Every structure is written in structure tokens, then in C-alpha cells.
DNA sequence: CATACGTGGAG
DNA sequence: TCTCCAAGTAT
């Protein structure tokens, strides 16, 4: 039997407080929803929205993107971050055209098989685009459940089986209700039960929240990792790719050498970009975005 | 299972 | 200024 103590109040809260995001419109296509989910991986909504608008205007269907060279996807991705996602989306488009008749597949297994689509994204697309019943367990939901149910400020660093079981146990039985519950609990985490300063005064489940009821005990365990960025290969890769993106065509090696003094790290980063398929080394010694 | 993988805004 | 973090995935 179904017992989700938060369901009714969270669904009501969502109805009144949900953001009006373009990929949530009733007429949003499965493709547009897949694009949004890939873009939203580790990237804030405010930065995704304009990128999504531009992307969907240029490539409204998988076939539109599949017809382009992958480098065009990388260029269009601009500074959204994690540019391999642009490559993934392009590969998704080609696979959807070649193996799924141009339509985004609706089964969780087929979605999971697409490049760059993991457990979360597969569940999100199956649920949000196709109204299926799947547990949605992203960083927002993990935080809400950690607080409301477990009574701790932050979820563990690595997702546990217990978290998955909990999320599944809270799933309403009817697929359409389950789909609304998934997006609603996620939205609650994004707008109210935030990482830094949760707005418990505005929270519809504050009276049932184990963490708040316990007096909001501070995070226990080891300090959370700071992902230092300055000086890393990631920064070098970012600068290298920016040169290629901002150039109209292939660039000479010296143009790339200019972005970083340390030659060993610079070459390593460039080699890695080539290995990842983000950069194409031409026969004449120049470099370009992939074709 | 821990680590690599971009970027920019908020506190 | 500097740390933290934002709808994760692949290896």
C-alpha cells in the first residue's frame, strides 16, 4: 500500500509555486526535454534557459542536429561547461535517427543506452516526457529526503541503495501522479530546501521534517570536498577549447600554445581533448572542432 | 568506488 | 577573495 506522508502537500505546493520553465510546457517535445536534462546536468537553470532556447530554435528535432558535424554542437554549447555533453547530445541525435526512427525512445532501458544518459536522466525523460512511473533521485531530491526523512543536513557523498529504496517507496502508484510527484519534490529542493539556506518557513512539509524537528543539527562527517579549479587540466582544457570555439575555422598551434605557459600540462590537456573527440588534429598541423 | 570533467554566480 | 555548489555520467 502507498504511504507517502509528503505527497498531497508537496503536489499542492508545486501547483502554486512551480517555475514556468519552457521545457515544462505541455507541448514540450521529448527531444526538447532530453536536451534540457543533458544541459541541466551540474548546471544551474538560469544558465541553461537561454542556451536551451537557442539550441531548440536551431535544432528542433534530433534529425536537425544529426545532420550537422559534431563540432557545430560543441561550438553551440558555448560556455555551458562540460562540453563532452555537447558531443553526447550530438551522438544521441544520430542514434535516435539511426536506431529509433527519429523519435526519442520511451523505455527507460533504451534511454539509458544513449550516450551521456545515466540513471537519473533516463528516469527524468521517461517520467517528464512520457508520464511513466520512475523514482527521480537527483541532488535536490537527495537533499530533501536526507532532511525530511533521515534527519541529516546533507546526503552522503555517494548515492546509496537505501536512498534509492526510499525514493521508490515514496512513488505514488498512478504513473501520472508519480510523474508530478517527481518534478514537485525536485522543485521543492531547488526553491525551498536549498543547500545553503533552506527556507523552512516556506516549506510545506516543515512540520514533518526530521531534520528541522531535531533542531537542524549541523553536518557531521568529513568536510565536503572543494573541487579546486584554478591550475587544473580542466581549466587548461577550457581555455584551449575556447580558442577553437571562438575561431571561425582551424587554428594554428601557436594560437593554442598561447593559453597556458606550462608546456607539459598544455600538451596533456590538448591530447586529452583530442582523445575525447572534442578537438580534431588536422593533417596540416592545425587544429579544429571535430567534423 | 573514487576521480575527472567546465563555468559562473552567490554568500 | 575564496569557498561552495548547480536537474550527473563515464571510467
Amino acid at each position: 500500500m502507498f504511504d507517502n506522508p509528503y505527497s498531497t502537500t508537496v503536489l499542492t505546493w508545486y501547483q502554486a509555486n512551480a517555475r514556468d520553465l519552457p521545457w515544462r510546457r505541455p507541448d514540450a517535445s521529448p527531444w526538447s526535454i532530453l536536451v534540457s536534462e543533458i544541459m541541466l546536468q551540474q548546471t544551474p537553470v538560469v544558465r541553461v534557459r537561454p542556451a536551451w532556447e537557442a539550441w531548440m530554435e536551431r535544432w528542433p528535432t534530433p534529425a536537425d542536429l544529426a545532420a550537422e558535424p559534431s563540432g557545430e554542437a560543441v561550438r553551440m554549447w558555448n560556455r555551458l561547461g562540460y562540453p563532452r555533453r555537447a558531443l553526447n547530445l550530438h551522438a544521441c541525435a544520430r542514434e535516435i535517427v539511426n536506431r529509433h526512427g527519429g523519435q526519442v525512445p520511451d523505455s527507460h532501458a533504451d534511454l539509458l543506452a544513449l550516450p551521456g544518459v545515466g540513471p537519473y536522466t533516463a528516469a527524468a525523460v521517461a517520467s517528464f516526457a512520457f508520464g511513466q512511473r520512475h523514482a527521480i533521485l537527483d541532488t535536490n531530491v537527495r537533499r530533501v529526503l536526507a532532511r525530511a526523512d533521515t534527519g541529516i543536513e546533507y546526503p552522503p557523498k555517494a548515492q546509496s541503495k537505501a536512498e534509492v529504496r526510499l525514493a521508490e517507496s515514496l512513488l505514488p502508484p498512478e504513473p501520472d501522479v508519480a510523474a508530478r510527484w517527481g518534478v514537485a519534490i525536485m522543485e521543492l529542493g531547488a526553491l525551498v530546501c536549498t543547500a545553503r539556506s533552506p527556507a523552512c518557513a516556506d516549506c510545506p512539509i516543515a512540520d514533518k521534517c526530521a531534520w528541522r524537528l531535531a533542531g537542524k543539527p549541523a553536518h557531521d562527517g568529513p568536510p565536503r570536498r572543494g573541487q579546486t579549479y584554478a591550475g587544473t587540466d580542466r581549466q587548461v582544457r577550457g581555455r584551449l577549447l575556447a580558442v577553437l570555439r571562438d575561431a571561425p575555422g582551424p587554428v594554428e598551434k601557436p594560437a593554442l600554445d598561447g593559453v597556458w605557459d606550462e608546456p607539459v600540462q598544455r600538451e596533456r590537456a590538448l591530447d586529452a581533448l583530442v582523445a575525447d573527440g572534442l578537438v580534431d588534429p588536422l593533417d596540416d598541423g592545425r587544429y579544429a572542432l571535430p567534423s
Side-chain angles (χ1 to χ4, degrees):
Chain A
M1 73 181 189
F2 176 53
D3 118 329
N4 177 336
Y6 321 116
S7 176
T8 302
T9 177
V10 169
L11 287 170
T12 301
W13 172 87
Y14 181 75
Q15 188 171 215
N17 297 280
R19 287 168 293 182
D20 178 30
L21 301 175
W23 48 85
R24 283 183 184 161
R25 291 172 320 201
D27 63 327
S29 68
W31 167 243
S32 76
I33 291 173
L34 174 60
V35 171
S36 78
E37 290 301 337
I38 298 283
M39 287 185 169
L40 285 162
Q41 289 169 1
Q42 299 285 283
T43 308
V45 166
V46 285
R47 287 177 50 210
V48 166
R49 192 198 288 249
W52 181 91
E53 301 278 9
W55 191 282
M56 293 312 300
E57 181 171 353
R58 181 168 176 185
W59 299 310
T61 72
D64 295 320
L65 177 56
E68 299 263 13
S70 60
E72 279 306 292
V74 174
R75 193 186 301 279
M76 192 70 175
W77 198 255
N78 200 8
R79 303 187 65 81
L80 252 198
Y82 292 145
R84 59 178 50 171
R85 291 182 294 164
L87 243 29
N88 288 151
L89 216 30
H90 181 264
C92 276
R94 293 218 165 150
E95 211 168 305
I96 289 167
V97 167
N98 294 332
R99 307 187 43 182
H100 299 286
Q103 303 296 316
V104 175
D106 63 0
S107 86
H108 185 277
D110 285 346
L111 287 163
L112 195 53
L114 295 172
V117 174
Y120 162 74
T121 302
V125 173
S127 179
F128 307 154
F130 298 109
Q132 295 171 23
R133 184 176 180 274
H134 295 282
I136 301 300
L137 196 54
D138 75 329
T139 187
N140 290 301
V141 178
R142 293 187 65 213
R143 188 175 54 251
V144 173
L145 297 185
R147 289 173 181 167
D149 189 90
T150 314
I152 57 178
E153 185 175 18
Y154 297 116
K157 208 153 112 91
Q159 187 181 112
S160 69
K161 289 301 226 11
E163 291 180 87
V164 176
R165 276 196 299 274
L166 174 59
E168 288 174 343
S169 77
L170 295 174
L171 228 34
E174 312 84 354
D176 59 319
V177 181
R180 269 185 290 132
W181 155 256
V183 71
I185 191 66
M186 200 164 53
E187 188 78 335
L188 184 64
L191 298 184
V192 174
C193 193
T194 59
R196 291 287 184 76
S197 48
C200 300
D202 302 323
C203 183
I205 59 173
D207 62 327
K208 302 184 191 67
C209 177
W211 180 58
R212 192 189 68 83
L213 262 20
K216 302 188 185 179
H219 176 66
D220 184 331
R224 331 209 338 128
R225 74 145 185 269
Q227 46 173 179
T228 53
Y229 177 63
T232 62
D233 285 12
R234 289 156 79 168
Q235 182 179 25
V236 184
R237 289 167 56 110
R239 288 193 185 182
L240 253 13
L241 203 55
V243 172
L244 276 296
R245 260 197 329 258
D246 298 340
V251 305
E252 307 286 344
K253 186 69 189 314
L256 295 176
D257 292 343
V259 307
W260 202 257
D261 336 319
E262 216 295 293
V264 174
Q265 185 178 25
R266 191 181 62 223
E267 293 309 312
R268 181 174 65 225
L270 181 55
D271 288 347
L273 285 172
V274 171
D276 287 350
L278 284 162
V279 172
D280 190 12
L282 271 29
D283 291 335
D284 62 10
R286 293 183 301 168
Y287 292 83
L289 292 181
S291 53

